[in-house]
Amino acid sequence: MRSLYVRSFGSKLIWGLVSSFVIVVCVGLTAQTEETRMEIQTKNWEGRGIENGAVIFANNCATCHGQQGQGLQGVAPALNSRYFFTRRLGDVGQDGVMTLSNYVYLTVAAGRPSKDNSQWANRMVPWSSQFGGPLRGDQVVDVVAYVMNFEETALQQTASEDPFQPFLDVAKPPEFQNIGISADAEWTPVQLAVTSVLPMGDRDPDYLFGALACSGCHKLDEPQAPSSMGESGPNFGTIHELGTYRPEAAADPAAYLKESIVSPDAFRVEGYDDAMPDDFASRMTEEEIDRLVQWLLDPNRVIHTRDAEGNIIDE
Amino acid sequence: MSVQSPAPQKKPWFLALLSSLDGIFVYLTAGISTREFRAMLRGDAPGRPNTRLTPHADAFLLHIKPSYYHESVTRFTHTYRLGLLSTYLFLFETITGIILMIWYAPTPERAYVDMIRLLNNVPFGQLMRDLHRIGAELMVGIVTLHMVRTYLTGSYKPPREFTWLTGVLLLVITLFLSFSGYLLPWDQLAFWAVTIGTSMAEAVPPVFVGEIINLLARGAPDIGASGLLRFYLLHVLFLPLLLILFFFVHYYKVVLYGISLPAQEEEVGEDTANRVPANRRVYYLPEVLLDEGTFLLAVTAIITAVTVFLFQAPLEHIANPQQTPFHTVAPWYFYWLQGLLKIADKMWAGVIIPGVLLVMLMAIPYLDRNPSRRGADRRVATISGIVAGVLMIILSWMGTPAYAVQGAPALEVVEKLMPEEKVGISRKIGYKHIPLGTYDTRELITTDDAEFAKLLDEFVHLLEVWEEKAPDFNDPWGLLTVTQDQANLKLLRWEITWISNAGTEEYFKQDYWLHKDSYYWEQYGRKKFGVPEFLEMQNGG
């Protein structure tokens, strides 16, 4: 038929054969590379999961656990820590019971309910929406993937590089003491946490407020009012009106504030427990504390943007 | 009186076998003997009576097809086989879709995870998903082209008015089928495109009706578990059934009135389907069947080749109702609606104008009283059709973020280099082409990496472009700090500082992480899975 688009039976046959051949080759090529492709895709989505986890960590976890996972003394333990990856599971009696990744998952999802004998300022709250937290299940999975990705650098740490702090919540009975150490028996972490990168003495108040993790409990941009109470510690948005906290302190706010930093248990605002660490006097010089108090009482206080070493970068 | 039948002749056993095989062949082909089949292959003309017509009477699928066509409509350039292709793509989507359904559960907890599982763990899973996606995009395009062809040849004129009307309905169903499938991967792209789409329904007056429609579509004030389930059921059950129903109405009319002949051979209103001169008949068996078969095979080959080497269905971050992506867009075939929404209010652009357009489109055969189908007599119709098409294209362009949407300049710059979703230059060059260090746009930066040099050049260039474009963005300079956040994970900190018109210094910062194994296929322009240099890149990168 001259008017048909493919004229002869022969050319139709060739068209059909060529097309079938192309399809077979394409599907065959796919079949051959399928194993590799799935492997690459698996790594790809693991990688993207870690990227997502990094964002969640920076927004939710870094305040207490440190931007590099190095922890903050008195606030939250180090995660980028050889101790954490080699011993922690054994110390909580879970070695061989669960994996570290599951332990991290459970802790992130459900929080850390017990704080007995703990040196940390805050309880870790549940983060998964399943337990009333703000993160969806997939976000918890991603942030766990990010935390677990500290492993490679953590295992390279020498004992003195490990930002590990001894956990006071683990009072191990003697019969459990060897659990988790077998592969790494010689290695004992010695150093306490790197509390801050800058040396003591001349640090700016806005830096201290972040580095000593005051910001973990006290929000600077929210007022303390009956409708807006800080969750773990009073909000500092209206701290210059000190009457909000303790009416009789209005006469000498600076003295009250200093007392609260040096010995937090002297007076506690109603509704808060003794979460505030009482060792700040040893972690700041007298002068630093005075400047911190002045800074806190100034409603126009300045907060600089800083890099990981604490240097100001927004000037 | 009884007639003595002759004694049955004894056949040799092999002839008896052949004749019974021939019987089976006739049974399977619903009436074609092996002898006739060989004649078809040789290209012999049919005998009289034409025994090749038997399957059209006996077989269900063939009884739907006409037994012969007018020679003039079998020309490829007359119909471009677009109607056939639309039907085929529906079948294609059904098959790939059912395969995909095996690995998919329509709940927010599982949908996205299932997508990743499909890509990671299911052999041919990615191919199926890519084929389904490309088939869907193609189907919208082909159905539209089918309509354009019918319009330009005036084939909607009597007696085919109703065929046109059902065709328009099929186009609408196709659009909704494609759109309802959009939500199912449950990623940011899906979630926000559908949020935009359903929010248009909210504009239906009066207010409470719009709210009810929106509520019915989403299953809740916002899209969530109920909305996903509803879109899933629409996509896999309701809309396909509706499409099948209207398809058969449409196709019955096509067979009843025949495919319209070229304008010079057929007067409007003339019944040419039942009066095809014997010498101009082209029988379906075998000529047209072979034609259609080879055509569809060739199309399938092209789709498969393009999918295997070039195309990958997008999958963005998991749907996050709390976070609207920077530039949210509807699917491309609704860009024109988004364009309308930018220049008119929601009620006009989202309901009244599309509604009137749809009714007018369906009513074209009843409005156009021009009794001729010849191009020379239809100048007004042709020109208005072209004008409408151009308007659609312009409106579609206006629907893209290129028109009248502008974020803060600093955000625009960073979004171009490393967007929140999609790829951008940074992810395109990838982890290994982004060396650690601090890069300041005010300084002349030298780098050994040509790819990275291009990225930095673009950074400088974009800052200049936006300084010129945005009035409140003076003397901007940028800082890119790349640090090793974790093993195999780099942190890219984008910082931009500029002077506002008030003379104050403004600052913008955005952190993005990039993992070594994150594989954004656009990096390579085409898929290279399994190709040696790709593997090397993965291992050595």
Side-chain angles (χ1 to χ4, degrees), chain A residues 115-152:
Chain A
K115 207 165 72 69
D116 288 350
N117 294 322
S118 166
Q119 71 273 47
W120 315 120
N122 281 325
R123 281 157 208 252
M124 173 131 166
V125 295
W127 285 95
S128 166
S129 56
Q130 202 182 349
F131 302 104
L135 299 181
R136 294 188 311 268
D138 60 280
Q139 292 176 312
V140 177
V141 170
D142 286 344
V143 82
V144 170
Y146 177 79
V147 170
M148 292 307 291
N149 199 40
F150 278 126
E151 181 162 12
E152 197 174 325

Side-chain angles (χ1 to χ4, degrees), chain B residues 389-405:
Chain B
V390 170
L391 264 178
M392 271 304 199
I393 293 169
I394 293 174
L395 275 175
S396 294
W397 171 77
M398 286 167 63
T400 64
Y403 173 80
V405 179

Side-chain angles (χ1 to χ4, degrees), chain A residues 73-74 76-78 81 83 88 91 117-120 162-170 189-193:
Chain A
Q73 189 179 10
S81 146
Y83 164 81
R88 177 64 181 159
D91 279 356
N117 294 322
S118 166
Q119 71 273 47
W120 315 120
D162 191 342
F164 154 81
Q165 309 165 58
F167 286 73
L168 300 181
D169 61 341
V170 179
V190 288
Q191 198 193 336
L192 289 187

